[in-house]
Amino acid sequence: MHRLMDTVLVRKTLAGDKNAFALLYRRHGPRVFRLLRRLTGGNNAESEDLVQETFLAAYQHLADWRGEGAFPTWLCGIAYRRWCASRRDAPQNVPLDEDLPVAAPDADPFALLSARELESALETVLASLPEHYRVVYLLTRVEEMKYREVAELLEIPLGTVQSRLDKAIRLLYDRLSCHVSDVVTLPKGAGRVPRKL
């Protein structure tokens, strides 16, 4: 259903309907922003600039999308390449907390604080991962791209995608263990994920 809607909106845009592209932007802009915000280490200004560059490039090359893969995956590929072209040596590590639920008036403040602390720790640890592990983790686990799509985007073998994801998961468990007392060791096989070819 979503893919069909994207296909229709792309065709309308190519036929000159600017409102159709505005709908594509509204549908996928937040996802592209979240990816770029994590890639830039939480730099909102840089992420917003890169979102604009991504959608401008997508608009200019819209005819290149053949509808074979998912449109959001194509957009994330453009966003990743834009980030690679403009990345800075020292990104800021700003935790993301915008996705946390708003507390109900009768909510347990300790539970909310714990959730915020865990979210902050996860974002900080994720930002601290070596870039090649962090990028694979974000594309496969957060953006839910298939391994084959990530391999093509990053121009690396499929096995390298799988091994980098496994290493990223292990590093996340290790580094989060000091933030969360319940996470002590990586359970056997926890780094292994089903193949999404």
Side-chain angles (χ1 to χ4, degrees), residues 141 147 162 165 192-197:
R141 285 300 181 91
Y147 292 179
Q162 294 168 325
L165 178 60
R192 299 285 175 200
V193 292
R195 293 186 176 196
K196 295 193 303 182
L197 308 175

Side-chain angles (χ1 to χ4, degrees), residues 11 43 45 50 60 69 85 102 104 107 112 140 149 153 165 188 193:
R11 287 182 185 156
N43 187 323
L50 289 170
Q60 292 171 339
V102 176
L112 182 61
T140 57
E149 293 169 335
L153 177 63
L165 178 60
K188 185 175 181 178
V193 292

Side-chain angles (χ1 to χ4, degrees), residues 17-174:
D17 183 350
K18 292 184 179 172
N19 290 331
F21 192 74
L23 285 172
L24 285 169
Y25 182 85
R26 281 198 296 272
R27 284 170 55 83
H28 303 296
R31 178 178 182 179
V32 171
F33 177 78
R34 283 190 302 272
L35 170 64
L36 288 167
R37 189 161 186 231
R38 285 185 169 109
L39 288 172
T40 62
N43 187 323
N44 281 337
E46 183 182 3
S47 300
E48 289 169 3
D49 289 345
L50 289 170
V51 168
Q52 296 303 316
E53 289 180 26
T54 297
F55 277 91
L56 178 61
Y59 184 79
Q60 292 171 339
H61 299 281
L62 203 54
D64 296 342
W65 183 65
R66 303 185 198 286
E68 295 167 357
F71 187 73
T73 300
W74 184 72
L75 279 174
C76 287
I78 294 171
Y80 172 75
R81 287 188 291 277
R82 290 287 163 182
W83 170 73
C84 284
S86 67
R87 71 181 159 200
R88 300 182 179 136
D89 291 336
Q92 300 172 10
N93 292 332
V94 178
L96 300 175
D97 60 4
E98 64 190 29
D99 295 330
L100 286 175
V102 176
D106 60 341
D108 177 3
F110 180 75
L112 182 61
L113 179 62
S114 297
R116 285 190 184 277
E117 289 173 344
L118 182 58
E119 178 75 14
S120 176
L122 178 59
E123 290 297 339
T124 300
V125 169
L126 188 57
S128 76
L129 288 180
E131 182 179 297
H132 54 283
Y133 297 137
R134 180 169 44 99
V135 167
V136 168
Y137 182 86
L138 287 171
L139 294 175
T140 57
R141 285 300 181 91
V142 177
E143 296 306 319
E144 298 179 348
M145 292 174 67
K146 294 182 179 175
Y147 292 179
R148 191 171 310 282
E149 293 169 335
V150 174
E152 289 173 12
L153 177 63
L154 301 181
E155 298 177 352
I156 57 176
L158 186 62
T160 303
V161 172
Q162 294 168 325
S163 65
R164 286 183 183 177
L165 178 60
D166 184 62
K167 180 67 174 178
I169 291 170
R170 290 179 180 281
L171 287 171
L172 284 171
Y173 269 98
D174 289 346

